[in-house]
Amino acid sequence: MTKVRTRFAPSPTGYMHVGNLRTALYAYLIAKHEGGDFILRIEDTDQERFVEGALDIIYDTLKITGLKHDEGPDIGGPVGPYIQSKRTNIYIEYAKQLIEKGEAYYCFCSKERLDELHKNAESAKQTYKYDKHCLHLSKEEIQENLNSGVPYIIRQNNPETGTTVFHDEIYGDISVDNSELDDMILIKSDGFPTYNFANVVDDHLMGITHVVRGSEYLSSSPKYNRLYEAFGWQVPIYVHCPPIMKDTHHKLSKRNGDASFEDLIKKGYLKEAIINYIALLGWNPGGENEIYSLNELVKAFNYKNINKSPAIFDDVKLKWMNGEYIKKMNTDKFTEMAIPYYKKIITKDLNFKKISELVQTRIEVLPEICDLIDFFQDLPEYSADIYVHKKMKTTFENSLLTLEKILPVFEAIDDWNIKNIEDACMNLVKELSVKNGIVLWPIRTALSGKKFSAGGAYEIADIIGKEESLKRLSIGIDKLKSAIK
Ligand code: GLU
């Protein structure tokens, strides 16, 4: 059996669109599921679109996400170069072969003439098609034009009758009338190939067995098949992936301000969650489980289960999934990732790991940390009303009693740790013969200044330290006294 070889063939646009990353992921999974090769090829023949730093974004994304390529511009390989702009001679050579076979031809039409054809098609409400004008030039005319340096392009010569059929693994058999096939450009006037030509030549020369790409290329695939046939090459297996939508009517697109991979990382999503989530955009593993590591995806992935119907990018679900990954993280690793967020809010020397233990299970994305931890830094302004809690049966009066009683007890604790803090509180519960809430709710409230907080009385007291705890209890006492007056 031939070894499976897939490729990720991004154009250096300067960002990694979620759809591109999904294509990369599916191509990777198809290859690795079968122990095959995953190749990176840079499609930079559209020189106008060149963006500084764009290659790094591609390399970095593959590295961060763990989609490790086996061959590519940075690591080489047996069928390089892997950057299309370094392969221009190859494309010209193959285009000339097609000319020899009568499957392609030089076209010297001026921009004005082509504009005219476009205009005519538009006013006749027809799809534009080149009229094969230059196909009929004599050998001598062509030679003369070439000799005198008339700018030219090379076009595919498609038949005008009959049909072309092709098979896509996801979309099935598709048949197109040849009369619909435009004589598409293979080589542009700048000598660079079009995507349409380069993808066929490269996929063949690089031994690609499965071509994985977005469904926007589906309609051009009959023309690609005609090229494969013209060369006498075997057509690869096509796996066209469904579009990713923002909602039922709009495609997800960076141009519409939708998130790229880098944006998602900046928004505090974990790379593992992003990969897991986008794997499910158009592919269904079957069964209940939706949480898959990259290795598990490699084992489970079967491209035959990719859906044709558009996939909707659901922020809420991605957030949920991210929360699941955050909960499973080890606390040290979580703390490492959370530190930039902690440092935005907290300048005091507090134990971040202890804070992590309180917030890790309460957030779905990292920036949510900020709202949960502000009170560790400074006691917020608050109203005494938050001491009153129906279920806890706390009132201004019993809250005041709790705080007045616990203040000297806390003051007397020499070794400030969570165990001693807890013992002190529990002793007070016993002494007053009240329910825990009557003691713990007012203390927690005074220490946090919040109606709800990450962490209870002991944890907060432990983290903010003895001195700060005593200060906050005194503030609570004053507040309650003035509320009672
Ligand atoms: N360079 C194309 C793009 O970035 C890739 C299409 C393909 O995978 O064949 O959209």
Side-chain angles (χ1 to χ4, degrees):
M1 229 177 74
T2 10
K3 193 173 195 190
V4 169
R5 284 172 64 84
T6 63
R7 87 300 193 272
F8 176 44
S11 302
T13 54
Y15 54 86
M16 185 64 71
H17 180 255
V18 166
N20 283 126
L21 185 56
R22 185 195 55 180
T23 302
L25 174 63
Y26 284 6
Y28 175 85
L29 295 176
I30 290 174
K32 295 302 155 187
H33 184 74
E34 298 290 341
D37 297 328
F38 173 60
I39 289 136
L40 174 65
R41 178 172 81 223
I42 302 295
E43 303 208 323
D44 61 344
T45 58
D46 199 349
Q47 292 287 299
E48 282 162 26
R49 278 170 61 192
F50 185 78
V51 182
E52 203 65 51
L55 285 186
D56 290 334
I57 290 185
I58 295 168
Y59 295 137
D60 289 349
T61 309
L62 294 182
K63 201 161 164 200
I64 294 171
T65 53
L67 306 182
K68 193 171 169 299
H69 51 288
D70 302 295
E71 298 165 29
D74 50 342
I75 50 175
V79 291
Y82 294 87
I83 296 195
Q84 287 186 330
S85 58
K86 301 214 166 112
R87 299 170 63 82
T88 42
N89 294 340
I90 302 178
Y91 307 121
I92 301 272
E93 184 192 316
Y94 279 94
K96 286 190 174 154
Q97 278 186 25
L98 290 184
I99 293 178
E100 303 265 293
K101 293 176 183 222
E103 297 280 356
Y105 55 94
Y106 290 104
C107 171
F108 300 95
C109 286
S110 64
K111 186 175 174 302
E112 289 70 30
R113 180 166 193 279
L114 295 177
D115 285 348
E116 193 67 28
L117 289 182
H118 275 284
K119 250 208 255 140
N120 294 347
E122 213 170 285
S123 44
K125 295 208 166 25
Q126 282 171 347
T127 324
Y128 164 81
K129 248 185 85 180
Y130 179 65
D131 62 358
K132 288 187 182 278
H133 175 266
C134 289
L135 178 64
H136 309 296
L137 296 179
S138 68
K139 264 204 164 128
E140 293 70 34
E141 282 172 303
I142 295 171
Q143 202 49 54
E144 215 180 283
N145 280 341
L146 290 177
N147 290 349
S148 50
V150 180
Y152 67 85
I153 57 176
I154 298 177
R155 287 184 187 276
Q156 183 180 21
N157 181 19
N158 277 320
E160 290 172 284
T161 56
T163 52
T164 299
V165 179
F166 79 99
H167 179 76
D168 179 80
E169 289 295 315
I170 313 305
Y171 291 83
D173 284 328
I174 299 182
S175 163
V176 192
D177 273 344
N178 289 341
S179 62
E180 287 174 24
L181 303 180
D182 180 37
D183 282 354
M184 65 179 182
I185 301 173
L186 306 180
I187 302 286
K188 298 180 278 188
S189 55
D190 61 3
F192 276 76
T194 54
Y195 164 78
N196 292 327
F197 188 51
N199 93 84
V200 171
V201 173
D202 288 347
D203 285 342
H204 172 73
L205 295 180
M206 295 181 176
I208 302 303
T209 56
H210 297 62
V211 168
V212 185
R213 65 184 162 216
S215 60
E216 63 272 27
Y217 293 99
L218 205 53
S219 63
S220 304
S221 295
K223 291 186 264 193
Y224 305 150
N225 269 24
R226 294 219 57 87
L227 288 174
Y228 282 106
E229 278 163 33
F231 281 119
W233 293 341
Q234 193 186 348
V235 177
I237 293 170
Y238 289 129
V239 182
H240 285 95
C241 307
I244 303 178
M245 312 290 288
K246 180 194 187 97
D247 53 45
T248 16
H249 298 296
H250 302 95
K251 263 186 135 184
L252 196 73
S253 111
K254 175 82 179 156
R255 245 175 277 150
N256 297 338
D258 296 325
S260 61
F261 174 72
E262 307 83 74
D263 294 334
L264 292 175
I265 293 285
K266 275 193 214 127
K267 285 185 183 174
Y269 288 96
L270 306 179
K271 56 180 198 273
E272 295 87 353
I274 301 174
I275 286 291
N276 188 160
Y277 180 67
I278 68 169
L280 304 183
L281 282 175
W283 172 73
N284 190 338
E288 294 283 290
N289 180 27
E290 294 191 294
I291 304 292
Y292 284 83
S293 68
L294 187 57
N295 278 338
E296 289 164 344
L297 286 172
V298 167
K299 287 203 193 92
F301 196 77
N302 178 353
Y303 66 81
K304 309 238 174 194
N305 297 341
I306 296 176
N307 303 316
K308 319 193 228 281
S309 44
I312 297 207
F313 189 89
D314 180 355
D315 285 314
V316 176
K317 182 153 182 195
L318 172 59
K319 258 194 173 172
W320 164 80
M321 194 169 270
N322 203 63
E324 294 300 298
Y325 274 85
I326 287 182
K327 281 186 202 108
K328 283 201 303 192
M329 261 173 137
N330 111 357
T331 311
D332 284 328
K333 188 159 173 236
F334 174 80
T335 306
E336 206 181 294
M337 296 199 70
I339 277 181
Y341 298 93
Y342 292 157
K343 289 200 167 157
K344 268 192 217 171
I345 310 282
I346 299 175
T347 52
K348 291 180 176 168
D349 183 21
L350 301 183
N351 185 323
F352 287 153
K353 190 170 173 189
K354 286 183 179 173
I355 296 181
S356 292
E357 282 160 5
L358 301 183
V359 299
Q360 190 173 351
T361 54
R362 288 178 164 85
I363 58 163
E364 292 188 324
V365 282
L366 295 170
E368 287 171 1
I369 288 174
C370 299
D371 284 344
L372 293 180
I373 59 165
D374 51 352
F375 70 89
F376 288 114
Q377 169 70 20
D378 293 307
L379 181 68
E381 271 303 318
Y382 68 96
S383 133
D385 295 342
I386 61 172
Y387 284 97
V388 181
H389 192 291
K390 239 185 172 170
K391 236 170 134 192
M392 299 287 172
K393 299 199 166 40
T394 50
T395 60
F396 289 152
E397 288 74 14
N398 61 15
S399 295
L400 179 60
L401 182 66
T402 292
L403 298 191
E404 283 180 332
K405 288 262 179 194
I406 204 71
L407 184 62
V409 180
F410 273 7
E411 223 160 343
I413 297 180
D414 284 332
D415 188 5
W416 190 257
N417 62 47
I418 200 152
K419 169 84 178 51
N420 290 343
I421 297 165
E422 181 176 349
D423 288 349
C425 294
M426 284 303 120
N427 287 338
L428 183 59
V429 167
K430 264 194 224 137
E431 184 193 324
L432 298 175
S433 323
V434 290
K435 285 231 162 92
N436 291 1
I438 300 234
V439 164
L440 298 182
W441 183 264
I443 297 176
R444 188 206 59 79
T445 305
L447 296 178
S448 67
K450 290 195 152 192
K451 199 165 176 180
F452 306 104
S453 59
Y458 317 142
E459 291 95 354
I460 300 172
D462 178 37
I463 290 170
I464 62 177
K466 181 171 171 180
E467 198 185 324
E468 179 69 15
S469 296
L470 299 179
K471 208 167 97 192
R472 292 185 183 193
L473 290 174
S474 305
I475 293 173
I477 291 170
D478 291 345
K479 260 193 206 287
L480 285 162
K481 278 187 181 159
S482 23
I484 291 169
K485 259 189 217 154

Short mmCIF file of all heavy atoms in Angstrom, two decimals, residues 7-11 20 23 41 43 49 195 199 203 211-214 216-217, ligand 1:
data_model
loop_
_atom_site.label_atom_id
_atom_site.label_comp_id
_atom_site.label_asym_id
_atom_site.label_seq_id
_atom_site.Cartn_x
_atom_site.Cartn_y
_atom_site.Cartn_z
N ARG A 7 -0.79 17.16 2.91
CA ARG A 7 -0.05 18.41 3.03
C ARG A 7 -0.96 19.51 3.56
O ARG A 7 -2.16 19.49 3.39
CB ARG A 7 0.59 18.81 1.69
CG ARG A 7 -0.28 19.62 0.74
CD ARG A 7 -1.54 18.94 0.31
NE ARG A 7 -2.22 19.54 -0.80
CZ ARG A 7 -3.14 20.51 -0.74
NH1 ARG A 7 -3.48 21.05 0.42
NH2 ARG A 7 -3.72 20.95 -1.82
N PHE A 8 -0.29 20.43 4.26
CA PHE A 8 -0.95 21.68 4.64
C PHE A 8 -0.29 22.72 3.75
O PHE A 8 0.94 22.79 3.70
CB PHE A 8 -0.74 21.96 6.12
CG PHE A 8 -1.30 23.29 6.58
CD1 PHE A 8 -2.55 23.72 6.17
CD2 PHE A 8 -0.57 24.09 7.44
CE1 PHE A 8 -3.06 24.93 6.60
CE2 PHE A 8 -1.08 25.31 7.88
CZ PHE A 8 -2.32 25.73 7.45
N ALA A 9 -1.10 23.48 3.03
CA ALA A 9 -0.53 24.37 2.01
C ALA A 9 -1.01 25.81 2.19
O ALA A 9 -1.71 26.35 1.34
CB ALA A 9 -0.92 23.85 0.62
N PRO A 10 -0.65 26.44 3.29
CA PRO A 10 -1.17 27.78 3.54
C PRO A 10 -0.49 28.84 2.67
O PRO A 10 0.65 28.68 2.26
CB PRO A 10 -0.81 28.01 5.01
CG PRO A 10 0.43 27.21 5.21
CD PRO A 10 0.28 25.99 4.35
N SER A 11 -1.22 29.89 2.43
CA SER A 11 -0.62 31.08 1.83
C SER A 11 -0.23 31.99 2.99
O SER A 11 -0.94 32.04 4.00
CB SER A 11 -1.64 31.79 0.95
OG SER A 11 -2.10 30.90 -0.04
N ASN A 20 -8.26 27.47 8.32
CA ASN A 20 -6.97 26.96 7.88
C ASN A 20 -6.39 25.98 8.88
O ASN A 20 -5.83 24.95 8.53
CB ASN A 20 -5.95 28.09 7.71
CG ASN A 20 -6.19 28.87 6.45
OD1 ASN A 20 -6.32 30.07 6.48
ND2 ASN A 20 -6.27 28.19 5.32
N THR A 23 -8.05 22.74 8.55
CA THR A 23 -7.52 21.99 7.41
C THR A 23 -6.19 21.33 7.78
O THR A 23 -5.96 20.16 7.48
CB THR A 23 -7.31 22.95 6.21
OG1 THR A 23 -8.56 23.55 5.89
CG2 THR A 23 -6.79 22.21 5.01
N ARG A 41 3.73 22.98 2.89
CA ARG A 41 4.12 23.64 1.64
C ARG A 41 3.60 25.07 1.69
O ARG A 41 2.45 25.31 2.04
CB ARG A 41 3.48 22.92 0.47
CG ARG A 41 3.79 23.57 -0.87
CD ARG A 41 3.31 22.72 -2.03
NE ARG A 41 1.89 22.86 -2.29
CZ ARG A 41 1.07 21.84 -2.57
NH1 ARG A 41 1.51 20.60 -2.58
NH2 ARG A 41 -0.20 22.06 -2.82
N GLU A 43 2.40 28.35 -0.07
CA GLU A 43 1.87 28.77 -1.36
C GLU A 43 1.92 30.29 -1.47
O GLU A 43 0.98 31.00 -1.12
CB GLU A 43 0.45 28.23 -1.52
CG GLU A 43 0.44 26.71 -1.37
CD GLU A 43 -0.68 25.99 -2.11
OE1 GLU A 43 -1.79 26.53 -2.18
OE2 GLU A 43 -0.42 24.89 -2.63
N ARG A 49 0.35 39.56 -2.26
CA ARG A 49 -0.19 39.33 -0.93
C ARG A 49 0.88 39.09 0.13
O ARG A 49 0.56 38.76 1.26
CB ARG A 49 -1.15 38.14 -0.97
CG ARG A 49 -2.53 38.54 -1.46
CD ARG A 49 -3.39 37.34 -1.73
NE ARG A 49 -3.61 36.50 -0.56
CZ ARG A 49 -4.13 35.29 -0.63
NH1 ARG A 49 -4.48 34.79 -1.77
NH2 ARG A 49 -4.30 34.58 0.46
N TYR A 195 -2.59 29.40 -8.26
CA TYR A 195 -2.84 28.31 -7.31
C TYR A 195 -3.36 27.09 -8.06
O TYR A 195 -2.95 25.95 -7.82
CB TYR A 195 -3.87 28.74 -6.25
CG TYR A 195 -4.43 27.53 -5.53
CD1 TYR A 195 -3.69 26.90 -4.53
CD2 TYR A 195 -5.66 26.97 -5.89
CE1 TYR A 195 -4.16 25.76 -3.92
CE2 TYR A 195 -6.12 25.82 -5.28
CZ TYR A 195 -5.37 25.22 -4.30
OH TYR A 195 -5.82 24.07 -3.70
N ASN A 199 -1.05 23.84 -7.45
CA ASN A 199 -1.49 22.82 -6.49
C ASN A 199 -1.47 21.44 -7.13
O ASN A 199 -1.10 20.46 -6.49
CB ASN A 199 -2.86 23.19 -5.90
CG ASN A 199 -4.05 22.59 -6.64
OD1 ASN A 199 -4.44 21.46 -6.40
ND2 ASN A 199 -4.60 23.35 -7.57
N ASP A 203 1.12 18.76 -5.78
CA ASP A 203 0.54 17.59 -5.11
C ASP A 203 1.02 16.31 -5.80
O ASP A 203 1.30 15.31 -5.14
CB ASP A 203 -0.99 17.67 -5.10
CG ASP A 203 -1.50 18.69 -4.08
OD1 ASP A 203 -0.72 19.05 -3.18
OD2 ASP A 203 -2.67 19.12 -4.17
N VAL A 211 -5.76 14.99 -0.70
CA VAL A 211 -5.77 16.45 -0.73
C VAL A 211 -6.89 16.94 0.18
O VAL A 211 -8.07 16.69 -0.08
CB VAL A 211 -5.97 16.97 -2.17
CG1 VAL A 211 -6.27 18.46 -2.17
CG2 VAL A 211 -4.73 16.66 -3.01
N VAL A 212 -6.50 17.59 1.27
CA VAL A 212 -7.48 18.07 2.25
C VAL A 212 -7.53 19.58 2.13
O VAL A 212 -6.50 20.25 2.26
CB VAL A 212 -7.05 17.69 3.68
CG1 VAL A 212 -8.12 18.07 4.69
CG2 VAL A 212 -6.71 16.22 3.77
N ARG A 213 -8.70 20.14 1.88
CA ARG A 213 -8.80 21.61 1.81
C ARG A 213 -10.25 22.03 1.96
O ARG A 213 -11.16 21.19 2.01
CB ARG A 213 -8.20 22.11 0.49
CG ARG A 213 -8.95 21.65 -0.72
CD ARG A 213 -8.25 22.11 -2.02
NE ARG A 213 -8.72 21.32 -3.13
CZ ARG A 213 -7.98 20.93 -4.16
NH1 ARG A 213 -6.71 21.25 -4.24
NH2 ARG A 213 -8.50 20.21 -5.12
N GLY A 214 -10.46 23.34 1.98
CA GLY A 214 -11.81 23.88 2.18
C GLY A 214 -12.71 23.64 0.98
O GLY A 214 -12.24 23.49 -0.16
N GLU A 216 -14.38 25.56 -0.64
CA GLU A 216 -14.38 26.62 -1.66
C GLU A 216 -13.61 26.17 -2.92
O GLU A 216 -13.75 26.78 -3.97
CB GLU A 216 -13.84 27.95 -1.12
CG GLU A 216 -12.41 27.96 -0.67
CD GLU A 216 -12.22 27.56 0.80
OE1 GLU A 216 -13.06 26.81 1.33
OE2 GLU A 216 -11.22 27.99 1.40
N TYR A 217 -12.82 25.11 -2.80
CA TYR A 217 -12.07 24.62 -3.96
C TYR A 217 -12.80 23.53 -4.73
O TYR A 217 -12.32 23.06 -5.76
CB TYR A 217 -10.69 24.10 -3.52
CG TYR A 217 -9.81 25.21 -3.01
CD1 TYR A 217 -9.68 25.45 -1.65
CD2 TYR A 217 -9.16 26.07 -3.89
CE1 TYR A 217 -8.90 26.50 -1.17
CE2 TYR A 217 -8.38 27.11 -3.43
CZ TYR A 217 -8.26 27.33 -2.06
OH TYR A 217 -7.49 28.37 -1.60
N1 GLU B 1 -3.04 28.10 -0.42
C1 GLU B 1 -4.40 27.70 -0.29
C2 GLU B 1 -5.03 28.51 0.83
O1 GLU B 1 -4.31 29.01 1.68
C3 GLU B 1 -4.47 26.25 0.08
C4 GLU B 1 -5.48 25.47 -0.60
C5 GLU B 1 -5.14 24.00 -0.52
O2 GLU B 1 -4.98 23.49 0.59
O3 GLU B 1 -4.99 23.37 -1.55
O4 GLU B 1 -6.22 28.66 0.85
#
